Amino acid sequence: MTVGNSGTILTSPDGNSWTKRTSVTSKSLVGVTYGNGLFVTVGLSGTILTSSDGNSWNERTSGISKSLREVTYGNGLFVTVGLSGTILTSLDGTSWTERTSGISKLLNEVTYGNSIFVTVGQSGTVLTSSDGTTWTSRTSGTTEDLYGGVTYGNSIFVTVDYRGTILTSSDGTTWTVRITGTWWNLNEVTYGNGLFVTVGNSGIIYTSPDGNSWTTRTTGTSNHLVGVTYSQ
């Protein structure tokens, strides 16, 4: 499944043939996740849509007008984050509750791992929560924008920023700055098959088995790379 501008939703059973679905909104959709038998997508102006099958969608009341950037599922809870420190949670994807983040900065990404939610964003912002309700600000070690995603794997959290910096944490609380040696923006990070991979502008790719030592890889392109994922 993929989502995008003007409420676009596309689904595919095999990655080859794609079908456009009626999304019941014209607002741009930015993030999508799956959990507890439910697809949830979020976007501009507090838009939240849900679907049990990816085909028929229902719009849910978020109670806010601020744009949402990402959504994740973990420990029986959906969590979405967005502009001005916005955090919403839901047990069923239908009823949503706004939580106090304690900040007004943009939250760009959120993930769940090691029994904790971690969200990152503007000016090196990192917040953590064990229950999705109470959030604590953490010192990240950078003031750069963490817009390149956050992931969990091999018992470690990894997030990247717009100046080639990689941050790691075993618990989401204490973070260590890893330097890649590049000033190019890093746009996304993922984990799979025992390896972290981050990609960025001008064809940059770095890999690491442990999140600590990173190796640059030859890509053969100078085009910007903005997304990366892994699937068996």
Side-chain angles (χ1 to χ4, degrees):
M1 175 179 297
T2 185
V3 299
N5 290 347
S6 303
T8 299
I9 298 175
L10 304 177
T11 65
S12 172
D14 56 12
N16 297 320
S17 301
W18 291 82
T19 302
K20 186 175 182 180
R21 304 300 181 179
T22 302
S23 68
V24 303
T25 185
S26 61
K27 301 289 177 56
S28 292
L29 301 170
V30 183
V32 62
T33 195
Y34 180 82
N36 195 29
L38 194 70
F39 292 99
V40 176
T41 181
V42 301
L44 300 187
S45 304
T47 299
I48 299 177
L49 308 181
T50 66
S51 173
S52 60
D53 58 9
N55 301 327
S56 301
W57 291 82
N58 295 297
E59 186 166 11
R60 305 303 180 180
T61 301
S62 67
I64 63 168
S65 59
K66 296 172 184 174
S67 293
L68 299 169
R69 297 286 298 176
E70 190 57 276
V71 59
T72 194
Y73 180 82
N75 195 30
L77 192 71
F78 292 99
V79 176
T80 182
V81 300
L83 293 183
S84 304
T86 297
I87 299 176
L88 305 177
T89 66
S90 175
L91 291 171
D92 57 8
T94 301
S95 300
W96 292 82
T97 302
E98 186 170 10
R99 304 300 181 179
T100 301
S101 68
I103 65 167
S104 59
K105 294 183 173 66
L106 167 65
L107 297 173
N108 197 59
E109 298 281 350
V110 61
T111 194
Y112 180 82
N114 196 27
S115 301
I116 194 171
F117 292 97
V118 175
T119 180
V120 301
Q122 187 179 10
S123 303
T125 297
V126 176
L127 304 178
T128 65
S129 175
S130 60
D131 59 7
T133 300
T134 302
W135 292 82
T136 302
S137 179
R138 306 299 182 181
T139 301
S140 67
T142 183
T143 58
E144 299 292 343
D145 295 336
L146 299 172
Y147 288 172
V150 59
T151 192
Y152 180 80
N154 195 24
S155 301
I156 192 171
F157 291 97
V158 176
T159 185
V160 297
D161 74 14
Y162 268 17
R163 289 295 179 265
T165 301
I166 297 172
L167 310 177
T168 65
S169 174
S170 60
D171 57 8
T173 300
T174 303
W175 291 80
T176 301
V177 176
R178 312 292 180 181
I179 304 300
T180 62
T182 180
W183 284 98
W184 292 113
N185 294 356
L186 295 174
N187 298 320
E188 188 63 272
V189 61
T190 194
Y191 179 82
N193 196 31
L195 197 69
F196 291 98
V197 178
T198 182
V199 302
N201 289 2
S202 296
I204 289 292
I205 295 181
Y206 286 95
T207 66
S208 173
D210 58 9
N212 300 324
S213 300
W214 293 80
T215 303
T216 184
R217 303 300 180 181
T218 301
T219 64
T221 181
S222 60
N223 292 334
H224 294 348
L225 304 173
V226 297
V228 60
T229 192
Y230 176 83
S231 177
Q232 292 180 326

Short mmCIF file of all heavy atoms in Angstrom, two decimals, residues 19-85:
data_model
loop_
_atom_site.label_atom_id
_atom_site.label_comp_id
_atom_site.label_asym_id
_atom_site.label_seq_id
_atom_site.Cartn_x
_atom_site.Cartn_y
_atom_site.Cartn_z
N THR A 19 -4.00 -0.77 -7.69
CA THR A 19 -5.37 -0.30 -7.83
C THR A 19 -5.60 0.95 -6.99
O THR A 19 -5.25 0.97 -5.81
CB THR A 19 -6.37 -1.39 -7.39
OG1 THR A 19 -6.15 -2.57 -8.16
CG2 THR A 19 -7.80 -0.90 -7.56
N LYS A 20 -6.16 1.98 -7.61
CA LYS A 20 -6.46 3.20 -6.87
C LYS A 20 -7.76 3.01 -6.09
O LYS A 20 -8.76 2.53 -6.63
CB LYS A 20 -6.60 4.39 -7.83
CG LYS A 20 -6.78 5.71 -7.12
CD LYS A 20 -6.79 6.87 -8.10
CE LYS A 20 -6.92 8.20 -7.37
NZ LYS A 20 -6.93 9.36 -8.30
N ARG A 21 -7.73 3.39 -4.81
CA ARG A 21 -8.89 3.24 -3.95
C ARG A 21 -9.52 4.60 -3.64
O ARG A 21 -8.85 5.63 -3.69
CB ARG A 21 -8.48 2.57 -2.63
CG ARG A 21 -7.78 1.24 -2.80
CD ARG A 21 -8.67 0.23 -3.51
NE ARG A 21 -8.03 -1.07 -3.66
CZ ARG A 21 -8.60 -2.12 -4.23
NH1 ARG A 21 -9.83 -2.03 -4.71
NH2 ARG A 21 -7.94 -3.27 -4.35
N THR A 22 -10.80 4.58 -3.33
CA THR A 22 -11.50 5.79 -2.92
C THR A 22 -11.16 6.09 -1.47
O THR A 22 -11.47 5.30 -0.57
CB THR A 22 -13.03 5.62 -3.07
OG1 THR A 22 -13.33 5.29 -4.42
CG2 THR A 22 -13.75 6.90 -2.67
N SER A 23 -10.51 7.21 -1.24
CA SER A 23 -9.97 7.48 0.09
C SER A 23 -10.86 8.37 0.95
O SER A 23 -10.54 8.61 2.12
CB SER A 23 -8.59 8.13 -0.02
OG SER A 23 -8.71 9.44 -0.57
N VAL A 24 -11.93 8.90 0.40
CA VAL A 24 -12.90 9.77 1.09
C VAL A 24 -12.28 11.07 1.61
O VAL A 24 -12.85 11.72 2.49
CB VAL A 24 -13.65 9.05 2.24
CG1 VAL A 24 -14.36 7.82 1.71
CG2 VAL A 24 -12.73 8.68 3.41
N THR A 25 -11.13 11.47 1.08
CA THR A 25 -10.56 12.77 1.42
C THR A 25 -9.76 13.28 0.24
O THR A 25 -9.25 12.49 -0.57
CB THR A 25 -9.65 12.71 2.64
OG1 THR A 25 -9.21 14.05 2.98
CG2 THR A 25 -8.42 11.86 2.38
N SER A 26 -9.67 14.61 0.13
CA SER A 26 -8.81 15.22 -0.88
C SER A 26 -7.53 15.75 -0.25
O SER A 26 -6.68 16.31 -0.95
CB SER A 26 -9.56 16.37 -1.58
OG SER A 26 -9.92 17.36 -0.64
N LYS A 27 -7.40 15.57 1.06
CA LYS A 27 -6.19 16.03 1.76
C LYS A 27 -5.03 15.07 1.48
O LYS A 27 -5.23 13.84 1.36
CB LYS A 27 -6.46 16.09 3.26
CG LYS A 27 -7.61 17.00 3.67
CD LYS A 27 -7.25 18.46 3.48
CE LYS A 27 -8.43 19.37 3.82
NZ LYS A 27 -8.95 19.18 5.18
N SER A 28 -3.84 15.60 1.39
CA SER A 28 -2.66 14.77 1.15
C SER A 28 -2.40 13.86 2.34
O SER A 28 -2.51 14.28 3.50
CB SER A 28 -1.44 15.65 0.89
OG SER A 28 -1.57 16.32 -0.34
N LEU A 29 -2.06 12.62 2.05
CA LEU A 29 -1.77 11.61 3.07
C LEU A 29 -0.27 11.38 3.11
O LEU A 29 0.38 11.24 2.07
CB LEU A 29 -2.52 10.32 2.76
CG LEU A 29 -4.04 10.47 2.68
CD1 LEU A 29 -4.67 9.19 2.13
CD2 LEU A 29 -4.62 10.81 4.05
N VAL A 30 0.28 11.30 4.32
CA VAL A 30 1.74 11.29 4.47
C VAL A 30 2.26 9.99 5.07
O VAL A 30 3.28 9.45 4.64
CB VAL A 30 2.20 12.48 5.35
CG1 VAL A 30 3.72 12.51 5.45
CG2 VAL A 30 1.68 13.79 4.78
N GLY A 31 1.58 9.45 6.08
CA GLY A 31 2.05 8.25 6.76
C GLY A 31 1.00 7.16 6.76
O GLY A 31 -0.21 7.44 6.71
N VAL A 32 1.45 5.90 6.80
CA VAL A 32 0.52 4.77 6.83
C VAL A 32 1.14 3.64 7.62
O VAL A 32 2.36 3.44 7.59
CB VAL A 32 0.16 4.31 5.40
CG1 VAL A 32 1.39 3.82 4.65
CG2 VAL A 32 -0.93 3.27 5.42
N THR A 33 0.31 2.90 8.36
CA THR A 33 0.79 1.75 9.11
C THR A 33 -0.30 0.68 9.15
O THR A 33 -1.43 0.91 8.73
CB THR A 33 1.20 2.14 10.54
OG1 THR A 33 1.97 1.09 11.13
CG2 THR A 33 -0.01 2.42 11.42
N TYR A 34 0.08 -0.48 9.69
CA TYR A 34 -0.88 -1.58 9.84
C TYR A 34 -0.70 -2.22 11.20
O TYR A 34 0.43 -2.46 11.63
CB TYR A 34 -0.68 -2.63 8.75
CG TYR A 34 -1.64 -3.80 8.85
CD1 TYR A 34 -2.92 -3.71 8.34
CD2 TYR A 34 -1.26 -4.97 9.49
CE1 TYR A 34 -3.81 -4.77 8.43
CE2 TYR A 34 -2.14 -6.05 9.58
CZ TYR A 34 -3.42 -5.94 9.06
OH TYR A 34 -4.30 -6.99 9.16
N GLY A 35 -1.82 -2.48 11.88
CA GLY A 35 -1.76 -3.15 13.17
C GLY A 35 -3.13 -3.58 13.63
O GLY A 35 -4.13 -2.92 13.30
N ASN A 36 -3.20 -4.67 14.35
CA ASN A 36 -4.46 -5.15 14.93
C ASN A 36 -5.55 -5.29 13.87
O ASN A 36 -6.72 -4.97 14.10
CB ASN A 36 -4.91 -4.21 16.05
CG ASN A 36 -5.98 -4.82 16.93
OD1 ASN A 36 -6.05 -6.04 17.10
ND2 ASN A 36 -6.83 -3.97 17.49
N GLY A 37 -5.16 -5.76 12.67
CA GLY A 37 -6.13 -5.97 11.61
C GLY A 37 -6.64 -4.72 10.95
O GLY A 37 -7.70 -4.74 10.29
N LEU A 38 -5.91 -3.61 11.09
CA LEU A 38 -6.41 -2.33 10.59
C LEU A 38 -5.28 -1.53 9.93
O LEU A 38 -4.18 -1.42 10.47
CB LEU A 38 -6.99 -1.52 11.74
CG LEU A 38 -7.85 -0.31 11.39
CD1 LEU A 38 -9.18 -0.77 10.79
CD2 LEU A 38 -8.10 0.54 12.63
N PHE A 39 -5.59 -0.97 8.74
CA PHE A 39 -4.72 0.02 8.11
C PHE A 39 -5.11 1.40 8.64
O PHE A 39 -6.30 1.71 8.72
CB PHE A 39 -4.88 0.01 6.60
CG PHE A 39 -4.37 -1.24 5.93
CD1 PHE A 39 -5.25 -2.25 5.58
CD2 PHE A 39 -3.03 -1.40 5.65
CE1 PHE A 39 -4.81 -3.40 4.95
CE2 PHE A 39 -2.56 -2.55 5.02
CZ PHE A 39 -3.45 -3.55 4.68
N VAL A 40 -4.11 2.22 8.94
CA VAL A 40 -4.35 3.60 9.36
C VAL A 40 -3.42 4.51 8.56
O VAL A 40 -2.21 4.27 8.49
CB VAL A 40 -4.09 3.80 10.86
CG1 VAL A 40 -4.26 5.28 11.24
CG2 VAL A 40 -5.03 2.94 11.69
N THR A 41 -3.99 5.54 7.95
CA THR A 41 -3.19 6.53 7.25
C THR A 41 -3.53 7.92 7.78
O THR A 41 -4.68 8.19 8.17
CB THR A 41 -3.40 6.47 5.72
OG1 THR A 41 -2.57 7.46 5.09
CG2 THR A 41 -4.84 6.71 5.34
N VAL A 42 -2.52 8.80 7.81
CA VAL A 42 -2.69 10.14 8.37
C VAL A 42 -2.13 11.18 7.40
O VAL A 42 -1.33 10.86 6.52
CB VAL A 42 -1.98 10.28 9.73
CG1 VAL A 42 -2.53 9.27 10.72
CG2 VAL A 42 -0.46 10.11 9.58
N GLY A 43 -2.55 12.45 7.59
CA GLY A 43 -2.06 13.47 6.68
C GLY A 43 -2.39 14.89 7.10
O GLY A 43 -2.51 15.18 8.30
N LEU A 44 -2.56 15.76 6.11
CA LEU A 44 -2.75 17.18 6.35
C LEU A 44 -4.04 17.47 7.12
O LEU A 44 -5.01 16.74 7.02
CB LEU A 44 -2.76 17.94 5.03
CG LEU A 44 -1.50 17.83 4.14
CD1 LEU A 44 -1.61 18.78 2.97
CD2 LEU A 44 -0.23 18.10 4.95
N SER A 45 -3.98 18.57 7.89
CA SER A 45 -5.15 19.08 8.62
C SER A 45 -5.77 18.06 9.56
O SER A 45 -6.99 18.01 9.73
CB SER A 45 -6.21 19.59 7.63
OG SER A 45 -5.67 20.55 6.76
N GLY A 46 -4.94 17.22 10.15
CA GLY A 46 -5.43 16.25 11.13
C GLY A 46 -6.18 15.09 10.55
O GLY A 46 -6.92 14.39 11.26
N THR A 47 -6.01 14.83 9.26
CA THR A 47 -6.74 13.76 8.58
C THR A 47 -6.30 12.38 9.07
O THR A 47 -5.10 12.09 9.14
CB THR A 47 -6.54 13.84 7.07
OG1 THR A 47 -7.03 15.09 6.60
CG2 THR A 47 -7.25 12.70 6.36
N ILE A 48 -7.27 11.54 9.39
CA ILE A 48 -7.02 10.14 9.75
C ILE A 48 -8.05 9.27 9.04
O ILE A 48 -9.26 9.50 9.16
CB ILE A 48 -7.10 9.90 11.26
CG1 ILE A 48 -6.05 10.72 12.01
CG2 ILE A 48 -6.92 8.41 11.57
CD1 ILE A 48 -6.13 10.57 13.52
N LEU A 49 -7.59 8.28 8.30
CA LEU A 49 -8.46 7.32 7.63
C LEU A 49 -8.11 5.92 8.10
O LEU A 49 -6.94 5.62 8.38
CB LEU A 49 -8.31 7.38 6.11
CG LEU A 49 -8.42 8.73 5.41
CD1 LEU A 49 -8.26 8.54 3.90
CD2 LEU A 49 -9.74 9.41 5.72
N THR A 50 -9.11 5.04 8.16
CA THR A 50 -8.86 3.65 8.54
C THR A 50 -9.56 2.70 7.57
O THR A 50 -10.57 3.04 6.95
CB THR A 50 -9.34 3.34 9.97
OG1 THR A 50 -10.77 3.45 10.01
CG2 THR A 50 -8.71 4.28 10.97
N SER A 51 -9.01 1.49 7.49
CA SER A 51 -9.59 0.47 6.63
C SER A 51 -9.21 -0.91 7.14
O SER A 51 -8.05 -1.13 7.53
CB SER A 51 -9.09 0.62 5.19
OG SER A 51 -9.53 -0.46 4.38
N SER A 52 -10.14 -1.83 7.13
CA SER A 52 -9.86 -3.20 7.55
C SER A 52 -9.31 -4.05 6.42
O SER A 52 -8.68 -5.07 6.66
CB SER A 52 -11.13 -3.85 8.11
OG SER A 52 -12.15 -3.88 7.11
N ASP A 53 -9.50 -3.59 5.17
CA ASP A 53 -9.07 -4.40 4.03
C ASP A 53 -8.23 -3.63 3.01
O ASP A 53 -7.76 -4.21 2.03
CB ASP A 53 -10.27 -5.00 3.32
CG ASP A 53 -11.26 -3.95 2.83
OD1 ASP A 53 -10.95 -2.75 2.89
OD2 ASP A 53 -12.36 -4.35 2.37
N GLY A 54 -8.04 -2.32 3.22
CA GLY A 54 -7.28 -1.50 2.27
C GLY A 54 -8.09 -1.02 1.10
O GLY A 54 -7.62 -0.21 0.29
N ASN A 55 -9.32 -1.50 0.98
CA ASN A 55 -10.17 -1.13 -0.15
C ASN A 55 -11.19 -0.04 0.22
O ASN A 55 -11.28 0.98 -0.46
CB ASN A 55 -10.91 -2.37 -0.67
CG ASN A 55 -9.97 -3.46 -1.11
OD1 ASN A 55 -8.88 -3.18 -1.60
ND2 ASN A 55 -10.37 -4.70 -0.92
N SER A 56 -11.96 -0.28 1.26
CA SER A 56 -12.96 0.68 1.72
C SER A 56 -12.42 1.45 2.92
O SER A 56 -11.93 0.83 3.88
CB SER A 56 -14.25 -0.05 2.11
OG SER A 56 -14.77 -0.76 1.00
N TRP A 57 -12.53 2.77 2.86
CA TRP A 57 -11.92 3.62 3.89
C TRP A 57 -12.96 4.48 4.60
O TRP A 57 -13.96 4.89 4.00
CB TRP A 57 -10.86 4.52 3.26
CG TRP A 57 -9.67 3.73 2.81
CD1 TRP A 57 -9.55 3.03 1.63
CD2 TRP A 57 -8.46 3.52 3.53
NE1 TRP A 57 -8.33 2.41 1.58
CE2 TRP A 57 -7.63 2.69 2.73
CE3 TRP A 57 -7.98 3.95 4.77
CZ2 TRP A 57 -6.36 2.30 3.13
CZ3 TRP A 57 -6.71 3.57 5.17
CH2 TRP A 57 -5.92 2.75 4.36
N ASN A 58 -12.70 4.74 5.88
CA ASN A 58 -13.54 5.62 6.69
C ASN A 58 -12.70 6.73 7.27
O ASN A 58 -11.57 6.49 7.73
CB ASN A 58 -14.19 4.84 7.83
CG ASN A 58 -15.16 3.78 7.34
OD1 ASN A 58 -16.17 4.10 6.71
ND2 ASN A 58 -14.85 2.53 7.60
N GLU A 59 -13.24 7.95 7.26
CA GLU A 59 -12.55 9.08 7.88
C GLU A 59 -12.89 9.13 9.36
O GLU A 59 -14.05 8.97 9.74
CB GLU A 59 -12.91 10.39 7.20
CG GLU A 59 -12.10 11.57 7.73
CD GLU A 59 -12.19 12.80 6.85
OE1 GLU A 59 -13.05 12.81 5.93
OE2 GLU A 59 -11.41 13.73 7.08
N ARG A 60 -11.88 9.34 10.18
CA ARG A 60 -12.06 9.40 11.62
C ARG A 60 -11.84 10.82 12.12
O ARG A 60 -11.10 11.59 11.51
CB ARG A 60 -11.08 8.45 12.32
CG ARG A 60 -11.17 7.01 11.85
CD ARG A 60 -12.57 6.45 12.01
NE ARG A 60 -12.66 5.05 11.56
CZ ARG A 60 -13.76 4.33 11.59
NH1 ARG A 60 -14.90 4.87 12.04
NH2 ARG A 60 -13.76 3.08 11.17
N THR A 61 -12.46 11.13 13.24
CA THR A 61 -12.33 12.45 13.83
C THR A 61 -11.09 12.51 14.71
O THR A 61 -11.00 11.80 15.72
CB THR A 61 -13.56 12.80 14.68
OG1 THR A 61 -14.72 12.77 13.85
CG2 THR A 61 -13.42 14.18 15.30
N SER A 62 -10.13 13.33 14.31
CA SER A 62 -8.89 13.44 15.09
C SER A 62 -9.02 14.49 16.19
O SER A 62 -8.29 14.44 17.18
CB SER A 62 -7.73 13.81 14.17
OG SER A 62 -7.90 15.12 13.64
N GLY A 63 -9.92 15.46 15.98
CA GLY A 63 -10.10 16.52 16.96
C GLY A 63 -9.10 17.65 16.82
O GLY A 63 -9.09 18.57 17.64
N ILE A 64 -8.27 17.60 15.77
CA ILE A 64 -7.27 18.65 15.56
C ILE A 64 -7.28 19.07 14.09
O ILE A 64 -7.80 18.37 13.23
CB ILE A 64 -5.85 18.19 15.94
CG1 ILE A 64 -5.42 17.02 15.04
CG2 ILE A 64 -5.79 17.79 17.40
CD1 ILE A 64 -3.96 16.69 15.14
N SER A 65 -6.65 20.22 13.82
CA SER A 65 -6.49 20.69 12.44
C SER A 65 -5.03 20.71 12.02
O SER A 65 -4.72 21.04 10.87
CB SER A 65 -7.10 22.10 12.29
OG SER A 65 -6.45 23.00 13.17
N LYS A 66 -4.14 20.37 12.93
CA LYS A 66 -2.71 20.35 12.60
C LYS A 66 -2.37 19.11 11.79
O LYS A 66 -2.93 18.04 12.01
CB LYS A 66 -1.89 20.39 13.89
CG LYS A 66 -2.08 21.65 14.70
CD LYS A 66 -1.39 21.56 16.05
CE LYS A 66 -1.67 22.79 16.88
NZ LYS A 66 -1.13 22.67 18.26
N SER A 67 -1.44 19.27 10.87
CA SER A 67 -1.08 18.16 9.99
C SER A 67 -0.32 17.08 10.74
O SER A 67 0.49 17.36 11.64
CB SER A 67 -0.22 18.68 8.84
OG SER A 67 -0.99 19.52 8.00
N LEU A 68 -0.59 15.84 10.36
CA LEU A 68 0.06 14.68 10.95
C LEU A 68 1.08 14.12 9.96
O LEU A 68 0.84 14.07 8.76
CB LEU A 68 -0.99 13.62 11.29
CG LEU A 68 -2.05 14.08 12.29
CD1 LEU A 68 -3.19 13.08 12.36
CD2 LEU A 68 -1.43 14.28 13.67
N ARG A 69 2.23 13.69 10.49
CA ARG A 69 3.35 13.31 9.63
C ARG A 69 3.60 11.81 9.55
O ARG A 69 4.09 11.31 8.55
CB ARG A 69 4.61 14.00 10.14
CG ARG A 69 4.57 15.52 10.07
CD ARG A 69 4.71 16.01 8.67
NE ARG A 69 5.99 15.62 8.08
CZ ARG A 69 6.35 15.86 6.83
NH1 ARG A 69 5.50 16.45 6.02
NH2 ARG A 69 7.53 15.49 6.39
N GLU A 70 3.32 11.09 10.63
CA GLU A 70 3.62 9.66 10.64
C GLU A 70 2.75 8.95 11.67
O GLU A 70 2.24 9.57 12.60
CB GLU A 70 5.10 9.43 10.95
CG GLU A 70 5.59 8.01 10.76
CD GLU A 70 5.34 7.48 9.36
OE1 GLU A 70 4.21 6.99 9.13
OE2 GLU A 70 6.25 7.55 8.52
N VAL A 71 2.59 7.63 11.49
CA VAL A 71 1.80 6.83 12.41
C VAL A 71 2.45 5.47 12.55
O VAL A 71 3.04 4.95 11.60
CB VAL A 71 0.34 6.71 11.90
CG1 VAL A 71 0.29 6.08 10.52
CG2 VAL A 71 -0.53 5.96 12.89
N THR A 72 2.38 4.89 13.74
CA THR A 72 2.94 3.57 14.00
C THR A 72 2.01 2.79 14.90
O THR A 72 1.05 3.35 15.46
CB THR A 72 4.35 3.66 14.62
OG1 THR A 72 4.99 2.38 14.55
CG2 THR A 72 4.28 4.11 16.08
N TYR A 73 2.29 1.50 15.05
CA TYR A 73 1.49 0.65 15.93
C TYR A 73 2.43 -0.20 16.78
O TYR A 73 3.40 -0.77 16.27
CB TYR A 73 0.57 -0.27 15.12
CG TYR A 73 -0.29 -1.17 15.97
CD1 TYR A 73 -1.47 -0.71 16.53
CD2 TYR A 73 0.08 -2.49 16.22
CE1 TYR A 73 -2.27 -1.52 17.32
CE2 TYR A 73 -0.71 -3.32 17.01
CZ TYR A 73 -1.88 -2.83 17.56
OH TYR A 73 -2.66 -3.65 18.34
N GLY A 74 2.10 -0.27 18.08
CA GLY A 74 2.90 -1.10 18.98
C GLY A 74 2.22 -1.27 20.31
O GLY A 74 1.51 -0.36 20.78
N ASN A 75 2.39 -2.41 20.93
CA ASN A 75 1.85 -2.68 22.26
C ASN A 75 0.35 -2.39 22.34
O ASN A 75 -0.15 -1.86 23.33
CB ASN A 75 2.60 -1.85 23.31
CG ASN A 75 2.36 -2.34 24.73
OD1 ASN A 75 2.12 -3.53 24.95
ND2 ASN A 75 2.40 -1.44 25.68
N GLY A 76 -0.37 -2.73 21.25
CA GLY A 76 -1.83 -2.55 21.23
C GLY A 76 -2.29 -1.12 21.05
O GLY A 76 -3.45 -0.81 21.32
N LEU A 77 -1.39 -0.24 20.57
CA LEU A 77 -1.72 1.18 20.48
C LEU A 77 -1.23 1.78 19.17
O LEU A 77 -0.10 1.55 18.74
CB LEU A 77 -1.07 1.93 21.65
CG LEU A 77 -1.52 3.36 21.90
CD1 LEU A 77 -2.94 3.39 22.46
CD2 LEU A 77 -0.56 4.06 22.87
N PHE A 78 -2.12 2.57 18.53
CA PHE A 78 -1.71 3.41 17.41
C PHE A 78 -1.23 4.75 17.96
O PHE A 78 -1.87 5.33 18.84
CB PHE A 78 -2.88 3.66 16.45
CG PHE A 78 -3.34 2.44 15.70
CD1 PHE A 78 -4.45 1.72 16.12
CD2 PHE A 78 -2.65 2.03 14.57
CE1 PHE A 78 -4.87 0.60 15.42
CE2 PHE A 78 -3.07 0.89 13.87
CZ PHE A 78 -4.18 0.18 14.29
N VAL A 79 -0.13 5.25 17.40
CA VAL A 79 0.40 6.57 17.79
C VAL A 79 0.72 7.34 16.52
O VAL A 79 1.41 6.83 15.62
CB VAL A 79 1.67 6.45 18.64
CG1 VAL A 79 2.24 7.85 18.94
CG2 VAL A 79 1.37 5.73 19.95
N THR A 80 0.21 8.57 16.42
CA THR A 80 0.53 9.43 15.29
C THR A 80 1.09 10.75 15.81
O THR A 80 0.72 11.22 16.89
CB THR A 80 -0.70 9.68 14.40
OG1 THR A 80 -0.31 10.49 13.28
CG2 THR A 80 -1.81 10.37 15.16
N VAL A 81 2.02 11.34 15.03
CA VAL A 81 2.69 12.58 15.45
C VAL A 81 2.67 13.58 14.30
O VAL A 81 2.47 13.20 13.13
CB VAL A 81 4.15 12.31 15.87
CG1 VAL A 81 4.19 11.34 17.04
CG2 VAL A 81 4.99 11.78 14.70
N GLY A 82 2.90 14.87 14.64
CA GLY A 82 2.87 15.87 13.59
C GLY A 82 3.33 17.24 14.01
O GLY A 82 4.19 17.39 14.89
N LEU A 83 2.73 18.27 13.39
CA LEU A 83 3.13 19.65 13.60
C LEU A 83 2.94 20.10 15.05
O LEU A 83 2.04 19.62 15.75
CB LEU A 83 2.32 20.57 12.69
CG LEU A 83 2.56 20.46 11.17
CD1 LEU A 83 1.72 21.50 10.44
CD2 LEU A 83 4.02 20.63 10.83
N SER A 84 3.82 21.03 15.46
CA SER A 84 3.70 21.69 16.77
C SER A 84 3.65 20.71 17.93
O SER A 84 2.92 20.92 18.91
CB SER A 84 2.45 22.59 16.80
OG SER A 84 2.48 23.52 15.74
N GLY A 85 4.40 19.62 17.82
CA GLY A 85 4.47 18.65 18.91
C GLY A 85 3.23 17.81 19.09
O GLY A 85 3.03 17.20 20.15
#
